[in-house]
Amino acid sequence: MTTPLRTALVVASTREGRFGPTVARWFETIVAARTDIELTVADLADADLPAHWTPDLSPRCRTFVEHLSEADAYVILTPEYNHSFPASLKQAIDITGQIWRRKPVGFVSYGGLSGGLRAVEQLRPVFAELHATTLRETVSFHQFPFDETGTPHDPDTAAQAATVLLDDLHWWGHALRTARHRNKPHDRTA
């Protein structure tokens, strides 16, 4: 039996009244049914991100960075704001820098008619610059298709999309983790 893939779910929105926690709870239930993925939630609203770049991080922000550093794979849960992703997510990516290197990144997005997919497309080149591998398969929610209990209106389709994403993330996560441990390349700074 292989070790479960340590995966961080990054909840990107920090706005008051945000919808992200509802989607995160749903996603956690999907992952909980699996034994091959160990999920940790890293919520940017709890990360105490600095307003500007600084090497002197608060204790809560250092804990956030440590949680991300321990992961072998990531799922970014992002809304779409003005055809892009939240500034809080960009700040978190910039602060954490090299931890994404040679690791897979999947996406769950929500919002508007595009279901957050424009935010995902904006994130792909950002992660490419960090030498991360972004997955083609995504889970996206157009508008806010959840009922008052936090269940998607079409739970079977949503669960199927999440399963495809997680299967891909698991494959890439193990492949890249094995490669990182076998071949420790000289890490160059970006």
Side-chain angles (χ1 to χ4, degrees):
M1 180 105 188
T2 58
T3 306
L5 185 68
R6 293 172 303 183
T7 304
L9 173 64
V10 179
V11 181
S13 177
T14 60
R15 287 185 178 180
E16 188 74 30
R18 63 203 173 118
F19 186 66
T22 299
V23 183
R25 283 188 295 274
W26 167 81
F27 192 76
E28 285 181 272
T29 65
I30 298 296
V31 176
R34 301 176 67 118
T35 59
D36 58 347
I37 296 176
E38 176 186 304
L39 190 70
T40 300
V41 177
D43 192 333
L44 295 184
D46 300 328
D48 192 26
L49 295 170
H52 55 83
W53 191 93
T54 175
D56 301 320
L57 302 177
S58 71
R60 281 182 27 216
C61 194
R62 278 196 305 276
T63 299
F64 169 79
V65 172
E66 288 167 12
H67 284 296
L68 287 186
S69 297
E70 294 167 358
D72 291 311
Y74 305 96
V75 174
I76 306 298
L77 171 56
T78 186
E80 180 179 315
Y81 296 156
N82 300 317
H83 290 219
S84 191
F85 55 92
S88 55
L89 179 56
K90 183 63 165 85
Q91 180 71 329
I93 292 167
D94 289 346
I95 286 170
T96 52
Q98 294 297 312
I99 68 163
W100 310 92
R101 191 176 189 85
R102 295 183 176 92
K103 295 179 182 179
V105 179
F107 301 100
V108 176
S109 63
Y110 61 91
L113 293 175
S114 77
L117 292 174
R118 292 179 288 212
V120 170
E121 291 310 309
Q122 295 287 324
L123 283 164
R124 290 185 189 284
V126 173
F127 282 110
E129 181 62 24
L130 296 172
H131 300 270
T133 299
T134 59
L135 305 184
R136 180 189 179 281
E137 301 300 332
T138 62
V139 178
S140 76
F141 294 101
H142 306 273
Q143 303 295 3
F144 300 100
F146 282 69
D147 66 21
E148 61 281 347
T149 69
T151 303
H153 292 163
D154 188 354
D156 294 338
T157 301
Q160 182 179 12
T163 298
V164 170
L165 170 69
L166 291 167
D167 287 348
D168 252 13
L169 188 73
H170 184 265
W171 189 93
W172 278 104
H174 276 287
L176 291 172
R177 181 170 68 184
T178 300
R180 282 193 317 274
H181 291 298
R182 280 191 191 149
N183 309 317
K184 296 189 186 242
H186 176 67
D187 280 326
R188 297 173 295 251
T189 57

